[in-house]
Protein backbone atom coordinates (compact mmCIF):
# COMPACT_ATOMS: atom_id res chain seq x y z
CA UNK A 1 0.00 0.00 0.00
CA UNK A 2 1.40 3.41 -1.00
CA UNK A 3 1.41 6.31 1.43
CA UNK A 4 1.77 6.34 5.17
CA UNK A 5 -0.64 5.57 7.96
CA UNK A 6 -1.56 8.56 10.10
CA UNK A 7 -2.41 8.08 13.75
CA UNK A 8 -5.93 8.93 14.83
CA UNK A 9 -4.47 10.01 18.17
CA UNK A 10 -6.38 7.15 19.84
CA UNK A 11 -4.24 3.97 20.17
CA UNK A 12 -7.24 1.64 20.39
CA UNK A 13 -8.67 3.07 17.16
CA UNK A 14 -5.33 2.81 15.37
CA UNK A 15 -5.16 -0.84 16.38
CA UNK A 16 -8.65 -1.54 15.05
CA UNK A 17 -7.82 0.17 11.74
CA UNK A 18 -4.71 -1.94 11.25
CA UNK A 19 -2.22 0.76 12.25
CA UNK A 20 -3.87 4.10 11.56
CA UNK A 21 -5.81 6.17 9.03
CA UNK A 22 -4.81 5.89 5.39
CA UNK A 23 -3.16 9.01 4.00
CA UNK A 24 -5.48 10.72 1.47
CA UNK A 25 -8.17 8.28 2.55
CA UNK A 26 -11.88 8.59 3.27
CA UNK A 27 -12.90 7.48 6.77
CA UNK A 28 -16.58 6.77 7.46
CA UNK A 29 -17.73 6.78 11.08
CA UNK A 30 -21.11 5.03 10.90
CA UNK A 31 -23.08 5.07 14.15
CA UNK A 32 -26.52 4.29 15.56
CA UNK A 33 -28.71 7.07 16.94
CA UNK A 34 -28.21 5.87 20.54
CA UNK A 35 -24.42 5.84 20.36
CA UNK A 36 -21.88 8.63 20.84
CA UNK A 37 -20.08 7.76 17.59
CA UNK A 38 -19.98 11.41 16.48
CA UNK A 39 -17.67 12.22 19.38
CA UNK A 40 -15.09 9.81 17.98
CA UNK A 41 -14.85 11.88 14.81
CA UNK A 42 -14.33 15.08 16.79
CA UNK A 43 -11.62 13.41 18.89
CA UNK A 44 -9.72 12.38 15.76
CA UNK A 45 -10.20 15.80 14.15
CA UNK A 46 -8.99 17.60 17.28
CA UNK A 47 -5.98 15.31 17.71
CA UNK A 48 -4.76 15.92 14.16
CA UNK A 49 -5.09 19.71 14.57
CA UNK A 50 -3.20 19.58 17.85
CA UNK A 51 -0.38 17.73 16.07
CA UNK A 52 -0.01 20.47 13.44
CA UNK A 53 -2.78 19.63 11.00
CA UNK A 54 -5.22 22.06 9.39
CA UNK A 55 -8.95 21.40 9.81
CA UNK A 56 -11.96 21.96 7.55
CA UNK A 57 -15.43 21.44 9.02
CA UNK A 58 -18.24 21.15 6.48
CA UNK A 59 -21.23 22.17 8.58
CA UNK A 60 -24.57 20.87 7.26
CA UNK A 61 -26.81 20.13 10.25
CA UNK A 62 -27.12 23.00 12.75
CA UNK A 63 -26.19 26.70 13.13
CA UNK A 64 -22.48 27.34 13.76
CA UNK A 65 -23.24 28.52 17.33
CA UNK A 66 -24.68 25.10 18.17
CA UNK A 67 -21.82 23.35 16.38
CA UNK A 68 -19.44 25.18 18.73
CA UNK A 69 -21.35 23.86 21.76
CA UNK A 70 -21.05 20.29 20.54
CA UNK A 71 -17.33 20.51 19.81
CA UNK A 72 -16.72 22.16 23.20
CA UNK A 73 -18.25 19.02 24.73
CA UNK A 74 -15.15 17.26 23.36
CA UNK A 75 -12.83 20.13 24.41
CA UNK A 76 -12.41 21.50 20.90
CA UNK A 77 -12.60 25.31 20.99
CA UNK A 78 -13.55 26.29 17.43
CA UNK A 79 -13.14 30.04 18.06
CA UNK A 80 -9.66 29.57 19.47
CA UNK A 81 -8.46 27.27 16.71
CA UNK A 82 -10.11 29.36 13.99
CA UNK A 83 -8.48 32.56 15.22
CA UNK A 84 -5.10 30.80 15.39
CA UNK A 85 -5.43 29.78 11.74
CA UNK A 86 -5.82 26.08 12.44
CA UNK A 87 -9.28 25.53 10.96
CA UNK A 88 -12.04 26.91 8.78
CA UNK A 89 -15.76 26.13 8.52
CA UNK A 90 -17.69 25.78 5.28
CA UNK A 91 -21.16 26.62 6.56
CA UNK A 92 -23.68 25.03 4.22
CA UNK A 93 -26.44 25.09 6.84
CA UNK A 94 -26.10 28.84 7.34
CA UNK A 95 -25.84 29.34 3.58
CA UNK A 96 -29.08 27.51 2.82
CA UNK A 97 -31.05 29.00 5.71
CA UNK A 98 -29.62 32.53 5.37
CA UNK A 99 -27.92 32.66 8.77
CA UNK A 100 -24.94 35.03 8.32
CA UNK A 101 -21.74 34.70 10.33
CA UNK A 102 -19.22 37.35 11.38
CA UNK A 103 -16.47 34.83 12.18
CA UNK A 104 -13.56 35.37 9.75
CA UNK A 105 -12.89 31.62 9.53
CA UNK A 106 -16.49 30.79 8.47
CA UNK A 107 -17.19 30.68 4.73
CA UNK A 108 -20.64 30.59 3.17
CA UNK A 109 -22.24 30.35 -0.25
CA UNK A 110 -24.06 33.54 -1.17
CA UNK A 111 -27.49 33.46 -2.80
CA UNK A 112 -28.12 29.78 -2.15
CA UNK A 113 -29.85 27.86 -4.94
CA UNK A 114 -30.44 24.10 -4.70
CA UNK A 115 -29.97 23.67 -8.44
CA UNK A 116 -26.60 25.44 -8.43
CA UNK A 117 -25.45 24.30 -4.97
CA UNK A 118 -22.92 21.68 -6.12
CA UNK A 119 -21.42 24.04 -8.67
CA UNK A 120 -21.09 26.84 -6.10
CA UNK A 121 -19.64 24.44 -3.49
CA UNK A 122 -17.01 23.34 -5.97
CA UNK A 123 -16.09 26.93 -6.79
CA UNK A 124 -15.82 27.89 -3.11
CA UNK A 125 -13.72 24.84 -2.26
CA UNK A 126 -11.40 25.57 -5.18
CA UNK A 127 -10.88 29.16 -4.01
CA UNK A 128 -10.20 28.02 -0.45
CA UNK A 129 -7.75 25.32 -1.53
CA UNK A 130 -5.83 27.82 -3.68
CA UNK A 131 -5.80 30.82 -1.35
CA UNK A 132 -6.57 29.79 2.26
CA UNK A 133 -5.75 26.15 2.96
CA UNK A 134 -2.02 25.57 3.59
CA UNK A 135 -0.34 22.98 1.35
CA UNK A 136 2.44 22.10 3.79
CA UNK A 137 0.19 20.74 6.57
CA UNK A 138 -1.89 17.60 6.85
CA UNK A 139 -5.46 18.64 5.97
CA UNK A 140 -8.28 16.93 7.86
CA UNK A 141 -11.81 17.66 6.71
CA UNK A 142 -14.95 16.50 8.51
CA UNK A 143 -18.53 16.45 7.22
CA UNK A 144 -20.67 17.23 10.26
CA UNK A 145 -22.87 15.52 9.44
CA UNK A 146 -23.66 13.43 6.37
CA UNK A 147 -27.24 12.73 7.49
CA UNK A 148 -27.67 16.46 8.11
CA UNK A 149 -26.81 17.12 4.47
CA UNK A 150 -29.03 14.22 3.40
CA UNK A 151 -32.07 15.55 5.28
CA UNK A 152 -31.51 19.28 4.67
CA UNK A 153 -29.94 19.41 1.20
CA UNK A 154 -31.30 16.20 -0.31
CA UNK A 155 -29.77 12.95 -1.50
CA UNK A 156 -28.65 14.26 -4.90
CA UNK A 157 -26.59 17.11 -3.46
CA UNK A 158 -25.21 14.94 -0.67
CA UNK A 159 -24.08 12.22 -3.08
CA UNK A 160 -22.46 14.89 -5.19
CA UNK A 161 -20.59 16.19 -2.13
CA UNK A 162 -19.33 12.72 -1.27
CA UNK A 163 -18.16 12.03 -4.82
CA UNK A 164 -16.46 15.44 -4.83
CA UNK A 165 -14.58 14.34 -1.69
CA UNK A 166 -13.42 11.27 -3.59
CA UNK A 167 -12.18 13.48 -6.42
CA UNK A 168 -10.46 15.91 -4.02
CA UNK A 169 -8.68 13.01 -2.32
CA UNK A 170 -7.29 11.82 -5.65
CA UNK A 171 -6.24 15.29 -6.83
CA UNK A 172 -4.54 15.98 -3.49
CA UNK A 173 -2.70 12.67 -3.67
CA UNK A 174 -1.33 13.47 -7.14
CA UNK A 175 -0.33 16.97 -6.01
CA UNK A 176 1.55 15.64 -2.97
CA UNK A 177 -0.85 17.25 -0.48
CA UNK A 178 -1.71 15.03 2.50
CA UNK A 179 -5.38 14.82 3.43
CA UNK A 180 -7.82 12.84 5.54
CA UNK A 181 -11.58 13.11 5.07
CA UNK A 182 -13.99 12.07 7.82
CA UNK A 183 -17.67 11.39 7.18
CA UNK A 184 -19.91 11.41 10.27
CA UNK A 185 -23.09 9.41 9.61
CA UNK A 186 -26.05 8.57 11.85
CA UNK A 187 -27.19 5.56 9.84
CA UNK A 188 -30.70 5.60 11.30
CA UNK A 189 -31.46 8.88 9.48
CA UNK A 190 -30.74 7.69 5.91
CA UNK A 191 -31.85 4.94 3.56
CA UNK A 192 -29.90 1.67 3.72
CA UNK A 193 -28.90 2.07 0.07
CA UNK A 194 -27.30 5.44 0.82
CA UNK A 195 -25.35 3.99 3.76
CA UNK A 196 -24.14 1.21 1.46
CA UNK A 197 -23.02 3.81 -1.09
CA UNK A 198 -20.90 5.52 1.57
CA UNK A 199 -19.30 2.27 2.71
CA UNK A 200 -18.38 1.53 -0.91
CA UNK A 201 -16.58 4.83 -1.58
CA UNK A 202 -14.94 5.01 1.89
CA UNK A 203 -11.50 3.46 2.35
CA UNK A 204 -12.01 2.69 6.03
CA UNK A 205 -15.20 2.22 8.03
CA UNK A 206 -15.72 2.46 11.79
CA UNK A 207 -19.12 1.37 13.12
CA UNK A 208 -20.29 2.39 16.60
CA UNK A 209 -23.31 0.80 18.28
CA UNK A 210 -24.79 1.06 21.76
CA UNK A 211 -26.97 -1.42 23.63
CA UNK A 212 -28.90 -0.86 26.85
CA UNK A 213 -28.48 -3.39 29.66
CA UNK A 214 -29.80 -3.56 33.21
CA UNK A 215 -26.49 -2.20 34.49
CA UNK A 216 -26.08 0.58 31.95
CA UNK A 217 -24.90 0.68 28.34
CA UNK A 218 -22.43 -1.30 26.27
CA UNK A 219 -20.84 0.50 23.32
CA UNK A 220 -19.30 -1.54 20.50
CA UNK A 221 -16.71 -0.19 18.06
CA UNK A 222 -16.26 -2.36 14.97
CA UNK A 223 -13.98 -1.88 11.96
CA UNK A 224 -15.25 -4.06 9.08
CA UNK A 225 -13.19 -2.41 6.33
CA UNK A 226 -9.60 -1.16 6.12
CA UNK A 227 -7.34 -1.99 3.15
CA UNK A 228 -4.18 -2.08 5.27
CA UNK A 229 -2.02 -5.15 4.56
CA UNK A 230 -2.71 -7.82 7.17
CA UNK A 231 -5.94 -6.16 8.38
CA UNK A 232 -8.62 -8.38 9.89
CA UNK A 233 -12.05 -7.09 11.05
CA UNK A 234 -12.06 -6.41 14.79
CA UNK A 235 -14.44 -5.24 17.49
CA UNK A 236 -13.92 -3.65 20.91
CA UNK A 237 -16.49 -2.74 23.52
CA UNK A 238 -16.71 -0.85 26.79
CA UNK A 239 -19.35 -0.61 29.48
CA UNK A 240 -20.96 2.62 30.61
CA UNK A 241 -22.50 2.23 34.06
CA UNK A 242 -25.75 3.92 34.98
CA UNK A 243 -25.30 6.99 37.16
Amino acid sequence: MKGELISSGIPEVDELLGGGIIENGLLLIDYSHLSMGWTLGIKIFKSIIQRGGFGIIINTTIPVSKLKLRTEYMWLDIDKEGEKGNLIIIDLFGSKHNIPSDDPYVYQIREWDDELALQKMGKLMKELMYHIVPKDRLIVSMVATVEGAYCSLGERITKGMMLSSLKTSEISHKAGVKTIEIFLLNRDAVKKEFETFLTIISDQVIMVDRESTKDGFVEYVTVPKSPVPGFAPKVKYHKIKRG
Side-chain angles (χ1 to χ4, degrees):
M1 183 184 68
K2 296 182 180 180
E4 64 179 284
L5 293 177
I6 297 166
S7 174
S8 67
I10 308 169
E12 295 83 359
V13 171
D14 288 345
E15 179 187 353
L16 288 171
L17 291 170
I21 303 171
I22 296 171
E23 179 187 310
N24 296 104
L26 308 181
L27 171 64
L28 170 63
I29 302 181
D30 181 327
Y31 50 92
S32 66
H33 73 284
L34 290 177
S35 82
M36 295 289 283
W38 61 274
T39 64
L40 180 59
I42 295 176
K43 285 181 181 179
I44 295 171
F45 183 86
K46 181 181 74 169
S47 175
I48 291 174
I49 289 176
Q50 290 178 337
R51 287 180 280 137
F54 182 86
I56 302 173
I57 300 176
I58 302 173
N59 180 53
T60 68
T61 309
I62 52 179
V64 169
S65 62
K66 294 187 181 297
L67 175 70
K68 292 177 182 180
L69 289 175
R70 297 189 185 186
T71 60
E72 284 175 6
Y73 175 76
M74 299 309 301
W75 299 283
L76 171 60
D77 188 330
I78 284 180
D79 281 328
K80 177 181 176 182
E81 298 300 340
E83 290 167 3
K84 289 169 62 178
N86 290 332
L87 65 78
I88 60 173
I89 295 174
I90 300 175
D91 183 22
L92 301 184
F93 184 90
S95 298
K96 180 176 175 63
H97 297 286
N98 193 27
I99 306 172
S101 172
D102 295 326
D103 295 321
Y105 55 84
V106 175
Y107 297 86
Q108 296 180 322
I109 295 173
R110 296 181 179 179
E111 299 179 358
W112 180 274
D113 183 322
D114 285 348
E115 293 302 315
L116 299 175
L118 285 173
Q119 180 182 339
K120 289 187 174 184
M121 283 181 214
K123 183 178 180 180
L124 174 60
M125 181 60 77
K126 194 172 184 179
E127 291 176 354
L128 293 174
M129 292 300 289
Y130 273 111
H131 303 295
I132 302 297
V133 177
K135 307 296 189 299
D136 58 346
R137 298 166 68 178
L138 171 62
I139 300 168
V140 54
S141 63
M142 179 173 66
V143 180
T145 60
V146 176
E147 79 277 1
Y150 184 92
C151 295
S152 178
L153 307 179
E155 183 173 347
R156 179 186 67 84
I157 293 177
T158 306
K159 270 193 173 182
M161 287 171 54
M162 301 301 101
L163 291 173
S164 178
S165 294
L166 194 63
K167 178 181 177 180
T168 299
S169 174
E170 186 66 13
I171 292 174
S172 297
H173 173 67
K174 290 182 178 180
V177 179
K178 295 182 179 181
T179 66
I180 291 173
E181 301 200 44
I182 302 172
F183 301 152
L184 300 183
L185 174 70
N186 181 334
R187 73 176 79 100
D188 296 322
V190 302
K191 293 189 298 187
K192 186 66 178 178
E193 292 81 2
F194 182 77
E195 181 193 12
T196 300
F197 161 75
L198 283 182
T199 62
I200 290 171
I201 69 169
S202 297
D203 298 295
Q204 295 170 297
V205 178
I206 299 175
M207 303 188 75
V208 186
D209 296 273
R210 178 179 289 196
E211 292 183 1
S212 178
T213 70
K214 63 179 182 179
D215 299 320
F217 295 97
V218 178
E219 193 144 279
Y220 298 88
V221 179
T222 307
V223 177
K225 178 182 179 182
S226 181
V228 176
F231 168 80
K234 304 179 184 71
V235 59
K236 284 185 179 289
Y237 71 93
H238 66 273
K239 297 179 180 179
I240 304 171
K241 294 183 179 181
R242 294 192 188 278

mmCIF file of all heavy atoms in Angstrom, residues 70-99:
data_model
loop_
_atom_site.group_PDB
_atom_site.id
_atom_site.type_symbol
_atom_site.label_atom_id
_atom_site.label_comp_id
_atom_site.label_asym_id
_atom_site.label_seq_id
_atom_site.Cartn_x
_atom_site.Cartn_y
_atom_site.Cartn_z
ATOM 1 N N ARG A 70 -21.291 21.731 20.625
ATOM 2 C CA ARG A 70 -21.048 20.287 20.544
ATOM 3 C C ARG A 70 -19.561 19.957 20.503
ATOM 4 O O ARG A 70 -19.128 18.966 21.088
ATOM 5 C CB ARG A 70 -21.770 19.715 19.331
ATOM 6 C CG ARG A 70 -23.283 19.875 19.454
ATOM 7 C CD ARG A 70 -24.048 19.134 18.398
ATOM 8 N NE ARG A 70 -25.482 19.434 18.507
ATOM 9 C CZ ARG A 70 -26.427 18.847 17.797
ATOM 10 N NH1 ARG A 70 -26.099 17.918 16.918
ATOM 11 N NH2 ARG A 70 -27.690 19.181 17.958
ATOM 12 N N THR A 71 -18.766 20.785 19.828
ATOM 13 C CA THR A 71 -17.328 20.513 19.812
ATOM 14 C C THR A 71 -16.697 20.834 21.162
ATOM 15 O O THR A 71 -15.733 20.179 21.576
ATOM 16 C CB THR A 71 -16.620 21.307 18.703
ATOM 17 O OG1 THR A 71 -16.813 22.711 18.910
ATOM 18 C CG2 THR A 71 -17.148 20.918 17.339
ATOM 19 N N GLU A 72 -17.234 21.844 21.861
ATOM 20 C CA GLU A 72 -16.725 22.158 23.202
ATOM 21 C C GLU A 72 -16.946 20.994 24.164
ATOM 22 O O GLU A 72 -16.178 20.806 25.114
ATOM 23 C CB GLU A 72 -17.406 23.420 23.743
ATOM 24 C CG GLU A 72 -16.881 24.707 23.114
ATOM 25 C CD GLU A 72 -17.648 25.940 23.562
ATOM 26 O OE1 GLU A 72 -18.520 25.806 24.452
ATOM 27 O OE2 GLU A 72 -17.385 27.027 23.009
ATOM 28 N N TYR A 73 -17.985 20.218 23.925
ATOM 29 C CA TYR A 73 -18.249 19.016 24.730
ATOM 30 C C TYR A 73 -17.057 18.066 24.669
ATOM 31 O O TYR A 73 -16.787 17.343 25.623
ATOM 32 C CB TYR A 73 -19.513 18.329 24.208
ATOM 33 C CG TYR A 73 -19.840 17.017 24.875
ATOM 34 C CD1 TYR A 73 -20.386 16.982 26.156
ATOM 35 C CD2 TYR A 73 -19.615 15.812 24.221
ATOM 36 C CE1 TYR A 73 -20.695 15.772 26.771
ATOM 37 C CE2 TYR A 73 -19.915 14.601 24.830
ATOM 38 C CZ TYR A 73 -20.465 14.586 26.101
ATOM 39 O OH TYR A 73 -20.760 13.391 26.693
ATOM 40 N N MET A 74 -16.332 18.090 23.533
ATOM 41 C CA MET A 74 -15.145 17.255 23.361
ATOM 42 C C MET A 74 -13.866 18.086 23.487
ATOM 43 O O MET A 74 -12.821 17.698 23.003
ATOM 44 C CB MET A 74 -15.192 16.559 21.994
ATOM 45 C CG MET A 74 -16.392 15.631 21.818
ATOM 46 S SD MET A 74 -16.591 14.451 23.174
ATOM 47 C CE MET A 74 -15.045 13.574 23.109
ATOM 48 N N TRP A 75 -13.968 19.248 24.137
ATOM 49 C CA TRP A 75 -12.830 20.129 24.413
ATOM 50 C C TRP A 75 -12.140 20.623 23.148
ATOM 51 O O TRP A 75 -10.929 20.819 23.111
ATOM 52 C CB TRP A 75 -11.827 19.430 25.329
ATOM 53 C CG TRP A 75 -12.413 19.057 26.641
ATOM 54 C CD1 TRP A 75 -12.670 19.873 27.704
ATOM 55 C CD2 TRP A 75 -12.869 17.760 27.030
ATOM 56 N NE1 TRP A 75 -13.256 19.170 28.725
ATOM 57 C CE2 TRP A 75 -13.388 17.861 28.358
ATOM 58 C CE3 TRP A 75 -12.887 16.521 26.405
ATOM 59 C CZ2 TRP A 75 -13.918 16.794 29.020
ATOM 60 C CZ3 TRP A 75 -13.422 15.441 27.078
ATOM 61 C CH2 TRP A 75 -13.920 15.582 28.380
ATOM 62 N N LEU A 76 -12.929 20.864 22.101
ATOM 63 C CA LEU A 76 -12.405 21.503 20.896
ATOM 64 C C LEU A 76 -13.011 22.901 20.822
ATOM 65 O O LEU A 76 -14.210 23.056 20.623
ATOM 66 C CB LEU A 76 -12.771 20.696 19.645
ATOM 67 C CG LEU A 76 -12.468 21.387 18.295
ATOM 68 C CD1 LEU A 76 -10.984 21.694 18.168
ATOM 69 C CD2 LEU A 76 -12.948 20.520 17.137
ATOM 70 N N ASP A 77 -12.168 23.916 21.008
ATOM 71 C CA ASP A 77 -12.599 25.308 20.990
ATOM 72 C C ASP A 77 -12.465 25.834 19.559
ATOM 73 O O ASP A 77 -11.369 26.203 19.115
ATOM 74 C CB ASP A 77 -11.742 26.133 21.950
ATOM 75 C CG ASP A 77 -12.247 27.557 22.128
ATOM 76 O OD1 ASP A 77 -12.841 28.096 21.172
ATOM 77 O OD2 ASP A 77 -12.037 28.139 23.210
ATOM 78 N N ILE A 78 -13.574 25.880 18.833
ATOM 79 C CA ILE A 78 -13.546 26.294 17.434
ATOM 80 C C ILE A 78 -13.078 27.737 17.288
ATOM 81 O O ILE A 78 -12.278 28.059 16.401
ATOM 82 C CB ILE A 78 -14.938 26.101 16.794
ATOM 83 C CG1 ILE A 78 -15.171 24.610 16.512
ATOM 84 C CG2 ILE A 78 -15.060 26.900 15.498
ATOM 85 C CD1 ILE A 78 -16.504 24.306 15.881
ATOM 86 N N ASP A 79 -13.565 28.637 18.146
ATOM 87 C CA ASP A 79 -13.143 30.044 18.063
ATOM 88 C C ASP A 79 -11.627 30.164 18.218
ATOM 89 O O ASP A 79 -10.962 30.861 17.434
ATOM 90 C CB ASP A 79 -13.835 30.865 19.149
ATOM 91 C CG ASP A 79 -15.267 31.224 18.788
ATOM 92 O OD1 ASP A 79 -15.551 31.395 17.589
ATOM 93 O OD2 ASP A 79 -16.104 31.312 19.699
ATOM 94 N N LYS A 80 -11.092 29.493 19.204
ATOM 95 C CA LYS A 80 -9.658 29.568 19.475
ATOM 96 C C LYS A 80 -8.852 29.050 18.287
ATOM 97 O O LYS A 80 -7.900 29.695 17.828
ATOM 98 C CB LYS A 80 -9.329 28.773 20.740
ATOM 99 C CG LYS A 80 -7.846 28.733 21.085
ATOM 100 C CD LYS A 80 -7.621 27.895 22.341
ATOM 101 C CE LYS A 80 -6.138 27.764 22.651
ATOM 102 N NZ LYS A 80 -5.906 26.916 23.851
ATOM 103 N N GLU A 81 -9.221 27.879 17.799
ATOM 104 C CA GLU A 81 -8.457 27.274 16.707
ATOM 105 C C GLU A 81 -8.654 28.042 15.403
ATOM 106 O O GLU A 81 -7.732 28.154 14.594
ATOM 107 C CB GLU A 81 -8.866 25.807 16.525
ATOM 108 C CG GLU A 81 -8.599 24.915 17.733
ATOM 109 C CD GLU A 81 -7.126 24.848 18.122
ATOM 110 O OE1 GLU A 81 -6.265 25.162 17.274
ATOM 111 O OE2 GLU A 81 -6.837 24.492 19.282
ATOM 112 N N GLY A 82 -9.867 28.578 15.189
ATOM 113 C CA GLY A 82 -10.107 29.361 13.985
ATOM 114 C C GLY A 82 -9.291 30.642 13.978
ATOM 115 O O GLY A 82 -8.706 31.021 12.949
ATOM 116 N N GLU A 83 -9.240 31.314 15.120
ATOM 117 C CA GLU A 83 -8.479 32.565 15.224
ATOM 118 C C GLU A 83 -6.977 32.323 15.115
ATOM 119 O O GLU A 83 -6.234 33.203 14.659
ATOM 120 C CB GLU A 83 -8.819 33.251 16.542
ATOM 121 C CG GLU A 83 -10.246 33.818 16.574
ATOM 122 C CD GLU A 83 -10.692 34.213 17.968
ATOM 123 O OE1 GLU A 83 -9.874 34.097 18.899
ATOM 124 O OE2 GLU A 83 -11.860 34.630 18.120
ATOM 125 N N LYS A 84 -6.521 31.146 15.496
ATOM 126 C CA LYS A 84 -5.096 30.798 15.391
ATOM 127 C C LYS A 84 -4.717 30.331 13.986
ATOM 128 O O LYS A 84 -3.554 30.077 13.703
ATOM 129 C CB LYS A 84 -4.751 29.698 16.402
ATOM 130 C CG LYS A 84 -4.745 30.166 17.853
ATOM 131 C CD LYS A 84 -4.670 29.008 18.816
ATOM 132 C CE LYS A 84 -3.413 28.187 18.666
ATOM 133 N NZ LYS A 84 -3.345 27.082 19.675
ATOM 134 N N GLY A 85 -5.713 30.208 13.105
ATOM 135 C CA GLY A 85 -5.434 29.778 11.739
ATOM 136 C C GLY A 85 -5.296 28.284 11.584
ATOM 137 O O GLY A 85 -4.645 27.816 10.642
ATOM 138 N N ASN A 86 -5.937 27.532 12.489
ATOM 139 C CA ASN A 86 -5.825 26.080 12.444
ATOM 140 C C ASN A 86 -7.039 25.392 11.823
ATOM 141 O O ASN A 86 -6.987 24.183 11.570
ATOM 142 C CB ASN A 86 -5.607 25.523 13.858
ATOM 143 C CG ASN A 86 -4.242 25.877 14.405
ATOM 144 O OD1 ASN A 86 -3.290 26.056 13.650
ATOM 145 N ND2 ASN A 86 -4.141 26.002 15.721
ATOM 146 N N LEU A 87 -8.112 26.147 11.592
ATOM 147 C CA LEU A 87 -9.282 25.530 10.960
ATOM 148 C C LEU A 87 -10.164 26.576 10.300
ATOM 149 O O LEU A 87 -10.085 27.771 10.615
ATOM 150 C CB LEU A 87 -10.104 24.705 11.969
ATOM 151 C CG LEU A 87 -10.812 25.397 13.138
ATOM 152 C CD1 LEU A 87 -12.100 26.098 12.718
ATOM 153 C CD2 LEU A 87 -11.169 24.360 14.209
ATOM 154 N N ILE A 88 -10.995 26.099 9.374
ATOM 155 C CA ILE A 88 -12.043 26.915 8.778
ATOM 156 C C ILE A 88 -13.327 26.093 8.774
ATOM 157 O O ILE A 88 -13.299 24.864 8.920
ATOM 158 C CB ILE A 88 -11.708 27.363 7.338
ATOM 159 C CG1 ILE A 88 -11.510 26.149 6.429
ATOM 160 C CG2 ILE A 88 -10.511 28.286 7.326
ATOM 161 C CD1 ILE A 88 -11.331 26.513 4.956
ATOM 162 N N ILE A 89 -14.461 26.790 8.624
ATOM 163 C CA ILE A 89 -15.761 26.130 8.521
ATOM 164 C C ILE A 89 -16.405 26.519 7.199
ATOM 165 O O ILE A 89 -16.451 27.703 6.854
ATOM 166 C CB ILE A 89 -16.685 26.533 9.685
ATOM 167 C CG1 ILE A 89 -16.130 26.041 11.022
ATOM 168 C CG2 ILE A 89 -18.098 25.957 9.470
ATOM 169 C CD1 ILE A 89 -16.921 26.527 12.226
ATOM 170 N N ILE A 90 -16.866 25.531 6.453
ATOM 171 C CA ILE A 90 -17.694 25.783 5.281
ATOM 172 C C ILE A 90 -19.128 25.571 5.738
ATOM 173 O O ILE A 90 -19.561 24.441 5.970
ATOM 174 C CB ILE A 90 -17.319 24.848 4.121
ATOM 175 C CG1 ILE A 90 -15.855 25.067 3.718
ATOM 176 C CG2 ILE A 90 -18.241 25.086 2.919
ATOM 177 C CD1 ILE A 90 -15.350 24.118 2.673
ATOM 178 N N ASP A 91 -19.850 26.657 5.899
ATOM 179 C CA ASP A 91 -21.156 26.621 6.558
ATOM 180 C C ASP A 91 -22.294 26.492 5.543
ATOM 181 O O ASP A 91 -22.895 27.479 5.125
ATOM 182 C CB ASP A 91 -21.327 27.881 7.414
ATOM 183 C CG ASP A 91 -22.630 27.884 8.197
ATOM 184 O OD1 ASP A 91 -23.187 26.793 8.423
ATOM 185 O OD2 ASP A 91 -23.085 28.975 8.559
ATOM 186 N N LEU A 92 -22.605 25.264 5.176
ATOM 187 C CA LEU A 92 -23.683 25.030 4.221
ATOM 188 C C LEU A 92 -25.050 25.235 4.860
ATOM 189 O O LEU A 92 -25.985 25.693 4.204
ATOM 190 C CB LEU A 92 -23.570 23.613 3.642
ATOM 191 C CG LEU A 92 -22.263 23.298 2.906
ATOM 192 C CD1 LEU A 92 -22.324 21.902 2.301
ATOM 193 C CD2 LEU A 92 -21.973 24.336 1.822
ATOM 194 N N PHE A 93 -25.168 24.894 6.156
ATOM 195 C CA PHE A 93 -26.445 25.089 6.842
ATOM 196 C C PHE A 93 -26.804 26.573 6.878
ATOM 197 O O PHE A 93 -27.916 26.968 6.535
ATOM 198 C CB PHE A 93 -26.379 24.530 8.263
ATOM 199 C CG PHE A 93 -27.694 24.606 8.992
ATOM 200 C CD1 PHE A 93 -28.610 23.568 8.925
ATOM 201 C CD2 PHE A 93 -28.027 25.728 9.756
ATOM 202 C CE1 PHE A 93 -29.833 23.654 9.581
ATOM 203 C CE2 PHE A 93 -29.242 25.819 10.420
ATOM 204 C CZ PHE A 93 -30.150 24.769 10.328
ATOM 205 N N GLY A 94 -25.849 27.401 7.290
ATOM 206 C CA GLY A 94 -26.095 28.839 7.343
ATOM 207 C C GLY A 94 -26.327 29.430 5.968
ATOM 208 O O GLY A 94 -27.110 30.372 5.818
ATOM 209 N N SER A 95 -25.658 28.864 4.953
ATOM 210 C CA SER A 95 -25.839 29.344 3.584
ATOM 211 C C SER A 95 -27.264 29.098 3.105
ATOM 212 O O SER A 95 -27.929 30.002 2.578
ATOM 213 C CB SER A 95 -24.855 28.632 2.646
ATOM 214 O OG SER A 95 -23.518 28.898 3.001
ATOM 215 N N LYS A 96 -27.740 27.875 3.299
ATOM 216 C CA LYS A 96 -29.078 27.506 2.818
ATOM 217 C C LYS A 96 -30.170 28.250 3.569
ATOM 218 O O LYS A 96 -31.176 28.675 2.983
ATOM 219 C CB LYS A 96 -29.297 25.999 2.940
ATOM 220 C CG LYS A 96 -30.678 25.541 2.447
ATOM 221 C CD LYS A 96 -30.829 24.042 2.495
ATOM 222 C CE LYS A 96 -32.244 23.608 2.124
ATOM 223 N NZ LYS A 96 -32.622 23.965 0.744
ATOM 224 N N HIS A 97 -29.996 28.414 4.881
ATOM 225 C CA HIS A 97 -31.053 29.003 5.708
ATOM 226 C C HIS A 97 -30.827 30.495 5.994
ATOM 227 O O HIS A 97 -31.485 31.051 6.871
ATOM 228 C CB HIS A 97 -31.173 28.211 7.007
ATOM 229 C CG HIS A 97 -31.576 26.778 6.785
ATOM 230 N ND1 HIS A 97 -32.856 26.420 6.432
ATOM 231 C CD2 HIS A 97 -30.853 25.636 6.831
ATOM 232 C CE1 HIS A 97 -32.920 25.102 6.296
ATOM 233 N NE2 HIS A 97 -31.724 24.602 6.517
ATOM 234 N N ASN A 98 -29.883 31.082 5.285
ATOM 235 C CA ASN A 98 -29.622 32.526 5.369
ATOM 236 C C ASN A 98 -29.343 32.971 6.803
ATOM 237 O O ASN A 98 -29.972 33.891 7.331
ATOM 238 C CB ASN A 98 -30.797 33.313 4.785
ATOM 239 C CG ASN A 98 -30.456 34.775 4.547
ATOM 240 O OD1 ASN A 98 -29.293 35.117 4.342
ATOM 241 N ND2 ASN A 98 -31.462 35.639 4.592
ATOM 242 N N ILE A 99 -28.366 32.299 7.430
ATOM 243 C CA ILE A 99 -27.915 32.665 8.772
ATOM 244 C C ILE A 99 -26.484 33.185 8.644
ATOM 245 O O ILE A 99 -25.536 32.402 8.586
ATOM 246 C CB ILE A 99 -27.955 31.463 9.739
ATOM 247 C CG1 ILE A 99 -29.348 30.825 9.749
ATOM 248 C CG2 ILE A 99 -27.546 31.890 11.144
ATOM 249 C CD1 ILE A 99 -29.425 29.529 10.535
#
